[in-house]
């Protein structure tokens, strides 16, 4: 017994000794200081270059002049110092440490046009360089994000990353932005990528706390309108963004990565004297283009007060379009609702630290007015990032970001009491400013429309968000080549909104929260208050081990575990029929149904990733991820995703002898990922909802039968690509081809109602995205004073609904857009009625010269036979076909960067081609008589009744949405050192300056469906994207 | 040693902050098993079925779609906006009525879901120990299941009696027979039970169970031409009692709110859509009740958001007895009941619906009396969803014949049913 005990003790002691020697490594250490300068090929200092001691946690980065200084306790002998930074090739330098205490080590880095030596973190085993990657990952650096007069990180990303279609859906100052990486990846849920900021999974939901009423959408499908929460991230805090386009790269993110991953890294501290950066920008936002309006001196029919909709309304028996006219004064209401907005963006930050403690702290204030009167957005953001070395093997990081944002809004586009639609829906012959003897506004005609003056002056909508993002991490490197990483991330926000529509003094339709005529006080006016509280926490733990099997072959193993939990709570109180003055819900006579939705879910996953590297030429990686989530059905609780990739750098081989081509790399990758977001926290259950019925509790089952064994939509992606560098990387080319298949697509499929349900939500469908991306970088001129860089990106994606379990799913939408999902067609096409054409492709016209709607026999969803009667006019049932496609043929970007001495000029052109927009507003303007076609009918240039004859033909609303935009222009002048300042830069920027398009509305880059996956390219009362000018000064001291 | 402390602290922290729960209880909505495990859950379902059947809260209600479809097919209603294609199809009838018609589609969905939910009540009532409560649940289950089957049988030749995957269809006579059985069983249960007061306060008493079960049994027996049964049931109904669906400003009368108020959907007809031979007589006080529009276009049982809609009216019970006697050949009795309707003063009717006319003075032939009964049904039961059934039973001119009074005999089966159920019968020719 004693013997055993002693033995154990001895062993334990031995173990302890070993452990201690591993952990503390106390032998032969010396406190040294290493400093130097990192320069580019022309000898200019490069800021933000990371300088690290290889195989340790020790490191710093260079300051604005390229200088660095690093104090560390290091083992004597040979040490490798690594210099790396975005846009430059990584360089390793050997440093012989002897008895001295200070060392000078300079480095000159070569530009890395293709970013091959960039360290990529997202979806890879720790710190892989791009050279090794088997799939395409793009990186965008800070300088490129903040130049283009944008105030939103996603907006700033437009045109800067391949494979992404980034659309600003609304021109509101906090307007929603959607990001589609390689097309749509779902039907039933969001297609927005997963966002990670410093290891924190950041929620990017669009939740309506304003525009709250359910009958606001009239039971229709309005999409995802409003702000998405990435608006909270201050672009000035960002160091770089990594974008993973597809499953092949994103597989280790498992069930959340179907739509790709966007990882954002914020700025961090560096050792050295504290550096204060300050920047201030002043902005002006203005309407880029006005739409034409009717100037005709007359209207049809009688007084505007009793007959406002004169173009398409009939009178008399038998009903006929009136042809008599009444003289009217016409107004341009655009001058009233639009007003240039001013804004400021102020940032101050301090970064600094010692060799063990580094910090970055920033404060920012943004205020930006919209182009619609009385709309604005304000954001305060504070950030603190801390890096602390605890010992030679342990380091700690922490980050904290507090954001408070406030926006003053107007009702969203998809209603007829939004600013844009309030002027779209009325004839422009009403003096909307006129008031009666009591000072009240007057009704706009007899149809119960909201007066635009009420919308601009009286309707109030406000949204306030308080958000905290926090992260903490620990890195432990017990022995050489082995490290463990742990990150905890937390995202917590409360979004609260209020809406107030005061009772109208005149006839407004109850559907627009008026009281009708005679005014019903119990319906007149609306108030709501809503809050959405969201909490998410994620833990990520990983271990990495790297070792050399022999001189040529090395291995990297990563084992990880991740756990995520989220909780949300949405509360809404609302009512209509308001007492005067009262803006809150208790003032309502008719209390409308409240909402109180709570949800909780968790997901956990473990992954193993193994990489092999042969001679820095051939790289092979394989990974497995096993996920489980509370939202999956019991039988589908665990989901396995696999990934494999390989890349071969031919130019690194011994036989390579093409001098002009310095790089040639081939890569291939396969990966799987899942989509969790399509499944609600409890959507696998058949539940009973409750609603009061005349004072009693009523419970009812939904008409959709839930699948208790629901599983995530699963994506399988193949990606093949190449990277090529010519003439010493003066010219670079990357090409990617991909096929993404999404199977187990969740579709709400109709079932026979005699089952007791109308539909079944099940994993029955599949869709496909196929396409390619080309990125060309060139540096045609590089010399000491003048530099010219060109970057161009070309993306083409083909989307197809492969199987949807039925031939057609047609959505009923507010703007009347016949949005459809049709087997074999791209998702979200417009499927509707169209113009009859003769054999020569000309419109078939009747005796009055009016175009005709096509009729005949509809043989199937896509096949029809037109019918003609004896006089050659269409006959039969009204036919439908695909009349438009909101998915572009291609998107492209061309960026030119020129720098001459201290001047920098950056010009970015974005193109989106071959896209159709559902221009509901343009057609409405003709129908109510304020548009340019109506003017022709009023003036007799078009026959009376022309608009009425084509009004019902849905094809008439399809507009050409292709454009080329002068997206960003930025001119800056670096004054350099000036008095006590280290660096002063002046910049003048513009955004969305010019658009070359044939679009009949304000701006083809629009979506009234917000961030919706299937409602795309719909123009219905959405605020156009403003043209923005900005002037800024940035200083460092 | 400090190193070790760091690591211990770290692992304590990580263990304390993580957990791996995979089951979360939905606090917003109970699952089906939970709902059907308590009495409160089931009273909620009873009110929920009423909500689905009578209010447009959960999709178009059966009451709304039956009144609209019936009204358009038989000319009780007119379409005010020809752009509304589904309504225009029903108005024009014949082959214009597509299996994809939206009105028929939602009518079919809602009513079959009502049948399915009612069956769940019947099945789950066995879980309840207290006999009175168990019977109460069963009675409501029977009532709504019978209403669902009976209503569908008025518009389709074959209807499913029991819902489920690949449901079987029964000929309408058989289905109506089932409805009658369900109602009569419920009446028997009601007789032997005392429904708990707390139960009735949860479900509401605006539907008088005893009289509603009898009245509906009388209605379906009449459709089956079971004359004696129809007389027995109809004569047992207490004509002073009302049975209605309640509405308010949040749960609106669907025909008023969705149909009439906008003056853009459907409109009532001043002549009730009747041919001259059946035109209401001068001084018939039911005509102003049926056709006088208020400022918001409301009329009859659809005056405003909160106007209740009756499940049956007393006049229907009198006319059922008149019809059954007439069909049996007892013309004197038939005239007696016709006169009860003709001479009823508005003040004597719980709904203030009365003709206040002199007694019947026409020929005492079966044909003439049946026509008088038909005419009175069309005035007394205007816009209550009965005319298509009546028009067929009284052999009024059908579609395609001269003076056609209806544009379809039966409706085609909804496309969604045909796509999902191989047992869907062949569509009727017209």
């Amino acid at each position: 017994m004693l013997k055993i005990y002693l033995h154990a003790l001895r062993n334990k002691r031995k173990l302890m000794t070993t452990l201690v020697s591993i952990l503390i490594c106390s032998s032969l250490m010396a406190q040294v200081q290493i400093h130097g300068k990192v320069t580019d090929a022309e000898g200019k200092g490069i800021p933000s270059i990371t300088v690290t001691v290889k195989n340790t946690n020790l490191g710093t980065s260079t300051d604005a002049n390229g200088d660095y200084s690093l104090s560390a306790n290091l083992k004597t002998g040979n040490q490798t110092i690594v210099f790396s930074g975005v846009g430059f090739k990584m360089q390793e330098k050997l440093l012989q440490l002897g008895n001295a205490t200070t060392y000078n080590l300079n480095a000159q880095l070569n530009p890395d046009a293709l970013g091959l030596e960039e360290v990529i973190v997202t979806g890879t085993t720790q710190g892989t360089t791009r050279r090794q990657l088997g799939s395409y990952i793009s990186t965008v650096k800070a300088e490129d994000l903040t130049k283009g007069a944008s105030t939103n990180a996603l907006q700033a990303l437009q045109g800067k990353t391949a494979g992404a279609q980034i659309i600003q859906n609304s021109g509101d100052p906090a307007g929603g932005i959607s990001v589609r990486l390689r097309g749509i990846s779902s039907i039933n849920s969001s297609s927005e990528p997963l966002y990670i900021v410093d290891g924190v999974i950041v929620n990017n939901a669009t939740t309506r706390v304003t525009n709250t009423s359910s009958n606001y959408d009239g039971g229709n499908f309005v999409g995802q309108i409003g702000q998405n929460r990435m608006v909270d991230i201050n672009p000035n805090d960002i160091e770089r963004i990594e974008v993973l386009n597809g499953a092949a790269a994103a597989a280790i993110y498992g069930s959340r990565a179907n739509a790709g991953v966007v990882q954002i890294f914020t700025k961090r501290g560096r050792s050295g004297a504290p550096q204060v950066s300050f920047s201030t920008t002043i902005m002006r936002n203005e309407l880029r283009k006005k739409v034409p309006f009717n100037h005709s001196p007359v209207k049809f029919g009688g007084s505007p007060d009793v007959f406002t909709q004169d173009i398409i309304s009939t009178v008399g028996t038998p009903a006929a379009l009136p042809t008599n006219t009444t003289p009217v004064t016409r107004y341009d209401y655009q001058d009233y609702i639009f007003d240039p907005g001013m804004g400021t963006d102020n940032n101050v930050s301090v970064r600094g630290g010692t060799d063990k403690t580094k910090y970055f702290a920033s404060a920012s204030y943004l205020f930006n007015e919209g182009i619609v009167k009385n709309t604005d957005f304000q954001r305060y953001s504070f950030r603190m990032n801390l890096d602390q070395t605890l010992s030679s093997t342990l380091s700690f990081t922490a980050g904290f970001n507090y954001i408070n944002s406030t926006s003053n809004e107007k009702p969203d586009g998809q209603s007829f009491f939004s600013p844009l639609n309030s002027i779209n829906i009325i004839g422009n012959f009403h003096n909307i400013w006129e008031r009666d003897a009591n000072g009240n506004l007057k009704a706009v005609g007899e149809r119960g429309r909201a007066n635009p003056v009420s919308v601009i002056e009286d309707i109030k909508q406000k949204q306030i968000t308080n958000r905290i993002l926090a992260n903490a991490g620990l890195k432990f490197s017990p022995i050489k080549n082995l490290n463990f990483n742990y990150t905890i991330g937390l995202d917590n926000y409360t979004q609260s909104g209020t809406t107030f529509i005061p009772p109208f003094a005149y006839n407004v339709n109850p559907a627009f929260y008026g009281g009708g005529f005679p005014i019903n006080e119990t319906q007149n006016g609306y108030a709501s208050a809503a809050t959405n509280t969201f909490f998410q926490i994620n833990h990520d733990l990983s271990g990495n081990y790297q070792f050399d099997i022999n001189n040529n072959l090395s291995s990297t193993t990563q084992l990880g575990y991740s756990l995520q939990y989220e909780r949300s709570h949405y509360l809404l109180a609302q009512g209509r029929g308001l007492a005067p003055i009262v803006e809150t819900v208790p003032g309502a006579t008719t209390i409308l149904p409240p909402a109180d939705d709570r949800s909780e879910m968790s997901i956990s996953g473990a992954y193993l990733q193994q990489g092999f590297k042969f001679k820095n030429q051939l790289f092979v990686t394989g990974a497995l991820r096993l996920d489980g989530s509370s939202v999956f059905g019991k039988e589908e609780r665990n989901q396995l995703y696999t990934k494999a990739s390989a890349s071969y750098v031919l130019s690194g081989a011994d036989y390579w002898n093409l001098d002009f081509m310095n790089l040639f790399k081939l890569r291939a990758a396969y990966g799987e990922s899942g989509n969790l977001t399509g499944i609600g926290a409890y959507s696998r259950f058949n539940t009973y909802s409750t609603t009061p019925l005349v004072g009693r509790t009523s419970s009812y089952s939904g008409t959709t039968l839930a699948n208790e064994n629901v599983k995530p939509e699963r994506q399988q992606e193949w990606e093949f690509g190449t990277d090529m560098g010519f003439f010493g990387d003066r010219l670079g080319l990357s090409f990617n081809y991909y096929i993404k298949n999404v199977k187990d697509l969740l579709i709400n499929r109709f079932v026979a109602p005699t089952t007791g349900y109308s539909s079944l939500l099940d994993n029955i469908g599949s869709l496909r995205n196929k396409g390619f991306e080309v990125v060309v970088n060139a540096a045609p001129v590089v010399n000491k004073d003048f530099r010219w860089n060109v970057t161009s990106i070309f993306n083409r994606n083909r989307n197809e609904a492969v199987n949807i379990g039925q031939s057609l799913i047609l959505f009923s939408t507010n703007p009347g857009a016949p949005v459809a999902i049709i087997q074999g067609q791209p998702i979200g096409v417009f499927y509707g009625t169209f113009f009859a054409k003769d054999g020569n492709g000309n419109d078939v016209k009747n005796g009055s010269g009016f175009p005709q709607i096509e009729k005949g026999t509809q043989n199937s969803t896509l096949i029809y036979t037109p019918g003609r009667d004896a006089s050659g006019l269409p006959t039969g049932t009204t036919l439908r076909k695909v009349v438009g496609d909101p998915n572009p043929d291609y998107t492209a970007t061309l960026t030119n960067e020129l720098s001459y001495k201290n001047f920098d000029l950056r010009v970015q052109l974005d193109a989106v081609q071959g896209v159709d927009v559902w221009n509901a507003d343009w057609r409405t303007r003709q129908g109510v008589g304020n548009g340019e076609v109506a003017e022709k009918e009023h003036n007799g240039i078009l026959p009376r009744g022309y608009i009425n004859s084509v009004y019902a033909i849905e094809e008439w609303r399809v507009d050409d949405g292709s454009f080329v935009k002068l997206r960003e222009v930025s001119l800056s002048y670096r004054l350099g050192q000036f008095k006590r300042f280290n660096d002063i830069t002046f910049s003048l920027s513009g955004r969305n300056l010019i658009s070359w398009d044939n679009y009949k509305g304000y701006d083809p880059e629009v979506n009234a469906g917000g961030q919706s996956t299937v409602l795309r390219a719909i123009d219905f009362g959405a605020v156009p994207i403003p043209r923005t000018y900005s002037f800024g000064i940035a200083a460092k001291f | 040693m400090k190193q070790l402390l760091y690591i211990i602290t770290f692992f304590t922290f990580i263990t304390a902050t993580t957990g791996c729960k995979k089951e979360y209880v939905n606090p917003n909505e109970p699952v089906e098993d939970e709902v059907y495990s308590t009495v409160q859950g089931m009273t909620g379902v009873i009110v929920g079925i009423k909500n689905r059947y009578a209010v447009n809260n959960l999709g178009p209600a059966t009451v709304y779609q039956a009144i609209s479809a019936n009204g358009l097919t038989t000319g009780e209603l007119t379409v005010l906006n020809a752009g509304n294609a589904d309504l225009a199809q029903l108005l024009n009838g014949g082959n214009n009525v597509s299996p994809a018609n939206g009105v028929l589609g939602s009518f079919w969905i809602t009513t079959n879901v009502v049948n399915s939910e009612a069956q769940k009540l019947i099945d789950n009532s066995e879980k309840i120990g207290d006999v009175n409560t168990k019977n109460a649940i069963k009675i409501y289950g029977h009532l709504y299941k019978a209403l669902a089957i009976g209503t569908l049988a008025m518009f389709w030749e074959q209807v499913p009696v029991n819902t489920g995957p690949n449901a079987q269809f029964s000929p309408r006579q058989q289905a109506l027979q089932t409805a009658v059985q369900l109602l009569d069983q419920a009446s028997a249960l009601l007789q032997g039970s005392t429904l708990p007061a707390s139960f009735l306060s949860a479900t509401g008493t605006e539907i008088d169970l005893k009289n509603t079960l009898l009245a509906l049994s009388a209605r379906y027996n009449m459709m089956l031409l079971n004359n004696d049964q129809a007389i027995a049931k109809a004569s047992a109904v207490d004509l002073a009692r009302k049975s209605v669906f309640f509405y308010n400003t949040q749960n609106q009368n669907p025909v008023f709110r969705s149909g009439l108020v906008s003056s853009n959907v459907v409109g009532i007809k001043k002549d009730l859509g009747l041919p001259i031979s059946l035109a209401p007589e001068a001084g018939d006080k039911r005509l102003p009740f049926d056709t006088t529009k208020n400022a918001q276009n409301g009329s009859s049982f659809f005056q405003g958001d909160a106007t209740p809609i009756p499940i049956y009216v007393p006049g229907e019970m009198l006319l059922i007895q008149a019809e059954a006697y007439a069909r049996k050949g007892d013309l004197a009795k038939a005239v007696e009941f016709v006169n009860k309707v003709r001479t009823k003063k508005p003040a004597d009717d719980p709904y203030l619906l009365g003709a206040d006319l002199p007694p019947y003075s026409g020929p005492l032939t079966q044909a003439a009396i049946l026509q008088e009964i038909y005419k009175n049904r069309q005035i007394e039961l205007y816009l209550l969803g009965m005319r298509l059934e009546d028009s067929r039973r009284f052999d009024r001119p059908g579609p395609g014949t001269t003076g056609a009074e209806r544009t379809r005999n039966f409706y085609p089966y909804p496309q969604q049913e045909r796509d999902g159920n191989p047992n869907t019968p062949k569509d009727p020719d017209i």
Side-chain angles (χ1 to χ4, degrees), chain A residues 231-452:
Chain A
V231 73
D232 296 329
I233 305 298
N234 176 14
N236 283 287
D237 282 349
I238 297 175
E239 177 77 39
R240 70 176 201 283
I241 299 179
E242 292 181 4
V243 182
L244 279 75
N245 287 343
I252 68 161
Y253 293 94
S255 299
R256 295 187 96 128
N258 247 18
V261 180
V262 174
Q263 179 147 225
I264 296 173
F265 301 87
T266 62
K267 291 172 180 162
R268 310 207 70 85
R270 54 186 170 223
S271 54
Q275 186 185 60
V276 179
S277 303
F278 174 74
S279 73
T280 183
T281 305
I282 176 160
M283 291 168 283
R284 178 188 152 96
N285 303 307
E286 61 182 36
L287 180 67
R288 189 177 51 75
K289 165 193 168 187
K290 281 203 328 187
V291 294
F293 65 95
N294 193 339
H295 293 82
S296 174
V298 294
K299 75 179 277 292
F300 293 116
S303 155
D305 291 336
V306 296
F307 189 71
T308 175
Q309 205 159 287
D310 64 328
I311 290 281
I312 54 169
S313 301
T314 54
V315 291
T317 321
L321 296 171
T323 49
N324 64 317
T325 57
T326 304
V328 287
T329 311
R330 295 209 177 249
Y331 302 90
D332 183 0
Y333 300 136
Q334 297 175 89
D335 292 338
Y336 173 68
I337 67 161
F338 292 115
D339 193 23
M342 300 300 288
T344 61
D345 189 1
N346 297 288
N347 284 277
V348 58
S349 69
V350 186
R351 69 203 298 190
T354 63
D355 58 316
K356 287 197 165 166
T357 308
K358 289 166 210 129
Y359 62 88
F360 169 82
S362 78
S364 111
Y365 171 71
L366 167 75
F367 175 78
N368 203 9
E369 286 177 334
I371 53 172
V372 169
K373 260 182 206 160
N374 300 335
T375 60
D376 57 55
F377 178 64
Q378 168 187 291
R379 180 180 65 211
Y380 292 97
S381 166
F382 301 91
R383 175 178 289 278
M384 176 81 205
N385 285 341
L386 176 73
D387 295 278
Q388 174 69 50
T389 304
L390 297 172
S391 73
S392 62
T393 58
L394 261 184
S395 63
F396 173 77
T397 61
F400 190 82
N401 187 193
Y402 170 77
I403 306 117
N404 171 288
S405 71
T406 306
S407 50
N408 286 302
E409 306 173 346
K410 288 295 168 191
D412 186 82
Q414 296 222 359
S415 67
F416 281 115
F417 50 98
S418 65
L420 270 287
N421 269 347
S422 71
I423 66 165
N424 280 330
I425 194 65
I426 57 175
N428 61 335
F429 38 60
H430 296 282
N431 181 355
I432 54 174
W433 303 274
E434 196 181 13
R435 289 175 189 266
D436 66 14
N438 294 330
N440 291 323
L441 289 170
K442 294 171 118 175
V444 189
E446 82 290 3
R447 289 190 165 248
R449 310 292 190 195
N451 186 324

Side-chain angles (χ1 to χ4, degrees), chain A residues 986-1007:
Chain A
F986 299 92
S987 57
L988 197 58
S989 310
R991 185 164 192 85
N992 297 314
L993 296 176
I994 305 171
S995 172
W996 292 274
D997 59 58
N998 295 319
Y999 188 64
K1000 291 182 287 202
Y1002 291 99
D1003 192 330
E1005 192 178 15
V1006 67
N1007 186 25

Side-chain angles (χ1 to χ4, degrees), chain A residues 16 19-20 23-24 390-394 474 476 485-486 488 510 517-518 520 522-523 537 539 541 561 563 565 589-593 596-604 628-631 634 637-638 682 684-703 750-759, chain B residues 1 3-4 6-7 10-11 13-14 17-32 35-36 41 43-52 55 57-58 105 108-109 112-113 116-117 120 160 162-167 169 200-206 246-252 257 295-296 305 416-417 420-421:
Chain A
M16 281 300 282
L19 258 178
V20 168
L23 294 180
I24 301 177
L390 297 172
S391 73
S392 62
T393 58
L394 261 184
L474 201 58
F476 175 49
N485 273 291
Y486 169 71
I488 177 170
F517 188 77
N520 177 351
T522 68
Q523 301 292 309
I537 189 161
H539 302 268
L541 179 65
Y561 179 74
L563 176 66
Y565 165 82
T589 316
T590 307
I591 297 294
L592 297 172
D596 177 0
D597 296 324
R598 307 170 202 185
S599 100
E600 259 185 303
M601 59 160 257
S602 73
I603 173 169
S604 59
S629 169
S630 64
V631 309
K634 272 218 167 79
R637 205 39 70 75
N638 293 307
Y682 310 112
R684 70 178 197 277
F685 300 114
N686 264 322
T687 57
Y688 274 62
S689 312
T690 305
T691 175
L693 176 66
V694 200
R696 299 207 169 81
T697 302
S698 90
S699 306
Y700 56 92
S701 143
T703 55
F750 292 122
V751 295
T754 52
T755 54
Y757 297 91
S758 169
S759 59
Chain B
M1 238 20 236
Q3 194 90 37
L4 211 58
Y6 285 138
I7 292 170
F10 164 71
F11 276 106
F13 174 78
I14 195 170
T17 51
T18 58
C20 194
K21 206 171 154 185
K22 284 286 184 293
E23 291 296 339
Y24 294 101
V25 175
N26 183 346
N28 312 303
E29 297 175 344
V31 299
E32 190 171 307
V35 171
Y36 288 105
T43 54
V45 173
I46 290 167
V47 183
I49 294 177
K50 194 195 303 182
N51 202 348
R52 191 184 298 282
V55 193
N57 275 343
L58 318 174
W108 186 260
I109 291 168
N112 278 295
V113 174
S116 161
E117 295 277 285
K120 284 180 199 163
N162 290 311
T163 54
N166 295 337
F169 283 69
L200 290 176
S201 82
T203 57
T205 49
E206 68 276 10
F246 269 168
Y247 300 97
N248 63 9
T249 47
Q250 278 93 32
N251 306 282
Q252 300 142 336
R257 176 50 59 191
Q296 293 186 285
D305 281 333
Q416 190 182 338
E417 183 67 33
N421 184 358

Side-chain angles (χ1 to χ4, degrees), chain B residues 186-206:
Chain B
S187 284
L189 281 175
L190 187 62
Q191 244 170 1
S193 328
T194 313
L195 303 195
S198 60
F199 191 94
L200 290 176
S201 82
T203 57
T205 49
E206 68 276 10

Side-chain angles (χ1 to χ4, degrees), chain A residues 658-911:
Chain A
L658 293 177
D659 283 345
F660 72 96
M661 191 175 186
N662 58 302
L663 171 82
F664 184 34
K665 172 183 161 185
L666 292 172
R667 48 188 160 78
Y670 169 78
E672 295 175 347
S673 63
N675 177 19
L676 184 78
T677 57
I679 314 173
Y682 310 112
S683 62
R684 70 178 197 277
F685 300 114
N686 264 322
T687 57
Y688 274 62
S689 312
T690 305
T691 175
L693 176 66
V694 200
R696 299 207 169 81
T697 302
S698 90
S699 306
Y700 56 92
S701 143
T703 55
T704 297
L705 180 63
N707 175 9
E708 305 212 341
N709 284 319
V710 69
K711 54 190 171 188
E713 296 173 344
R714 180 180 285 261
Q715 176 169 289
Q716 295 165 319
E717 182 185 51
W718 278 100
E719 181 190 302
F720 303 95
T722 179
D723 299 300
M724 290 178 255
F726 303 91
F727 318 116
D729 272 352
R730 290 282 290 274
L731 176 66
L733 170 78
S734 284
F735 174 84
N736 311 313
Y737 171 80
Y738 59 88
I739 303 181
K740 293 206 303 186
N741 285 305
V742 180
K743 62 172 194 176
D744 298 331
L745 200 61
L746 277 166
I747 288 181
N748 208 349
R749 180 177 52 144
F750 292 122
V751 295
T754 52
T755 54
Y757 297 91
S758 169
S759 59
L760 169 71
L761 181 65
D762 201 1
N763 301 94
I764 49 172
S766 57
L767 67 80
R768 180 187 303 136
N769 285 292
K770 251 191 328 196
F772 63 87
E773 297 144 2
V774 186
V775 182
V776 178
N777 299 294
V781 182
V782 180
N783 64 44
K784 200 168 181 339
D785 286 332
F786 184 65
R787 226 170 356 167
W788 176 25
N789 280 317
V790 186
T791 306
S792 65
I793 301 175
F794 180 90
N795 309 304
R796 173 191 154 123
N797 184 64
R798 288 290 176 272
N799 172 270
E800 184 190 338
V802 178
N803 173 23
I804 55 168
Q806 52 219 318
S807 64
L808 168 72
I809 299 174
L810 193 60
F811 295 94
S812 159
T813 65
N814 265 15
V819 174
I821 299 173
I822 301 172
Q823 204 136 302
Q825 293 286 311
I827 286 164
V829 290
F830 307 126
Y831 179 70
T833 57
F834 55 99
F835 288 98
K837 299 280 181 190
D838 64 17
N840 301 322
N842 297 319
D843 282 343
V844 173
K845 292 184 176 170
N846 68 1
S848 312
F850 297 149
Q852 299 294 299
I853 201 163
E854 187 62 282
K855 293 180 176 181
T857 313
Q858 188 91 41
N859 306 308
S860 69
T861 305
L862 295 173
I863 299 167
Y864 55 85
T865 317
R868 293 285 179 271
D869 64 13
S871 52
L873 292 177
T875 180
T877 56
T878 302
L879 301 178
R880 289 184 296 174
K881 68 171 185 181
V882 173
V883 292
D885 182 0
N887 300 286
D889 288 345
Y890 69 88
T891 64
T893 296
L894 178 67
T895 307
N896 275 284
E897 288 168 294
L898 295 129
S899 78
Y900 177 71
K901 290 187 172 168
N902 290 341
F903 285 96
D904 287 304
L905 175 68
R906 185 178 190 284
V907 180
Q908 180 184 329
L909 289 164
D910 279 3

